[in-house]
Amino acid sequence: MKVSIMRPIFRPEDVSNPSFVLYPYHIFHLKLFYKRLGRSDRVLDYFAYVDLYRLGAERGDGFIDLYEWDVEERSVMEPLVDYEEARMKAFESAITWGNSRVVSWWLPRIEVVRDERAYKVFWIYEKDGEKLIMDSLDGKEFSLETIVGKDGRKCKGAWCR
């Protein structure tokens, strides 16, 4: 299956062939159009990265580079949030951010400039006998055991592979 992935910045060192799991996001580039009394209107760009597993939104500086990978379906985590929920979360996040920068009597008109489903790569590998997971965008490592437990009972979805 072909998927868009966020360009990995970090990769485990001294590991010949790490496996990975792909974590779902929806990325939005939004334009906010604010009307203002007695002043010129304001237009702001906003980039929202909506987590499709936990329904959280983060503001980005731009639209991250995306690459297309051909992967096995079992490496891809299924989103728990549909497009409409993700879009509404992006709008809510954009309005909160925009209203802290612009004084207006009205809510902004919002236009979706671009949006794409993309996946963040989490590397899974073994180092010094311990299974680890690395976030490909910030390089942080986590013990797989702390996420899934010693016996794997907490394990859900693609993290278990």
Side-chain angles (χ1 to χ4, degrees):
M1 109 186 249
K2 291 195 183 290
V3 295
S4 291
I5 61 127
M6 297 178 201
R7 182 181 60 85
I9 298 168
F10 295 94
R11 184 181 172 100
E13 295 177 12
D14 303 326
V15 177
S16 60
N17 194 16
S19 60
F20 58 86
V21 66
L22 300 178
Y23 189 92
Y25 279 84
H26 207 99
I27 306 169
F28 292 89
H29 174 194
L30 306 174
K31 278 208 181 288
L32 288 76
F33 298 88
Y34 282 94
K35 291 177 131 188
R36 301 190 305 168
L37 285 175
R39 305 193 71 192
S40 61
D41 294 348
R42 289 277 310 267
V43 179
L44 303 173
D45 284 294
Y46 186 81
F47 298 91
Y49 291 78
V50 180
D51 182 324
L52 297 181
Y53 211 73
R54 296 179 294 177
L55 191 58
E58 295 179 52
R59 185 179 70 82
D61 294 331
F63 211 96
I64 194 167
D65 293 335
L66 299 178
Y67 293 107
E68 193 171 90
W69 277 11
D70 194 7
V71 298
E72 292 182 30
E73 194 170 336
R74 68 185 194 100
S75 300
V76 179
M77 289 179 68
E78 285 297 314
L80 299 179
V81 175
D82 67 18
Y83 175 80
E84 275 307 307
E85 289 175 299
R87 189 174 72 81
M88 292 311 295
K89 189 63 170 181
F91 280 25
E92 175 187 305
S93 176
I95 290 168
T96 300
W97 175 82
N99 287 351
S100 70
R101 281 148 184 75
V102 177
V103 177
S104 175
W105 284 91
W106 303 275
L107 285 174
R109 179 175 61 84
I110 301 176
E111 175 184 304
V112 177
V113 176
R114 179 181 175 195
D115 70 291
E116 289 205 39
R117 162 114 22 113
Y119 294 86
K120 181 195 277 192
V121 177
F122 283 89
W123 302 108
I124 301 173
Y125 57 99
E126 196 167 316
K127 184 163 104 179
D128 299 328
E130 182 181 18
K131 279 210 165 229
L132 299 172
I133 295 176
M134 176 187 278
D135 184 321
S136 67
L137 296 183
D138 66 14
K140 291 181 183 169
E141 290 180 325
F142 305 93
S143 168
L144 185 61
E145 193 175 284
T146 62
I147 295 171
V148 299
K150 287 185 182 190
D151 58 4
R153 288 190 184 169
K154 291 184 200 172
C155 190
K156 291 185 180 177
W159 291 111
C160 303
R161 293 180 179 63

